[in-house]
Amino acid sequence: MPVESDVTSASITLPADLHMGGIESLRQTLVAHVEQDAPLAVDGAAVDRVSTAGIQLLVAFFRDRMLAQRSTQWTQVSDPLRDAVHWLGLAEHLALSSHPQTS
């Protein structure tokens, strides 16, 4: 499933499956947004399957945007994504420690 993105509104909608099979498509989308100056909204509401590789990719993306002093915010985060990130101890790296839970 391709990752949806809308450069004009500076948003990315993550796919339901963040496992190895869909990582390359997501990586290409994220790379295209690393250098984007506009604040970026990431919608993770649809994510229902998560792998460590998918989370590593998101951590690298958020880190690169932060180092470039570009704002990246979550609009929504699914429970499976939030649970996996917290279980791995990476909530702070993805700015999820203060993001309210969405059900």
Side-chain angles (χ1 to χ4, degrees), residues 40-45 62 72-79 81-83 85-86 90-103:
L40 183 66
V42 179
D43 184 349
F62 270 73
T72 310
Q73 302 293 320
W74 291 98
T75 57
Q76 297 182 70
V77 180
S78 69
D79 288 337
L81 177 56
R82 179 183 309 283
D83 292 347
V85 168
H86 282 281
L90 297 171
E92 288 185 30
H93 296 279
L94 288 173
L96 283 178
S97 54
S98 62
H99 190 276
Q101 186 167 351
T102 47
S103 298

Side-chain angles (χ1 to χ4, degrees), residues 14-23 26 44-55 58 78-85:
L14 299 179
D17 190 349
L18 289 182
H19 275 88
M20 288 299 290
I23 294 296
L26 176 59
V47 177
D48 63 7
R49 291 177 31 130
V50 185
S51 71
T52 303
I55 292 173
L58 290 173
S78 69
D79 288 337
L81 177 56
R82 179 183 309 283
D83 292 347
V85 168

Side-chain angles (χ1 to χ4, degrees), residues 3 14 21 25 28-29 32-33 40 45 49 60-61 63 65 69 72 75 80 85-86 88 95 102-103:
V3 177
L14 299 179
S25 173
Q28 291 174 3
T29 299
H33 285 83
L40 183 66
R49 291 177 31 130
F61 173 71
R63 182 205 61 219
R65 295 251 327 153
Q69 299 181 352
T72 310
T75 57
V85 168
H86 282 281
L88 291 168
T102 47
S103 298

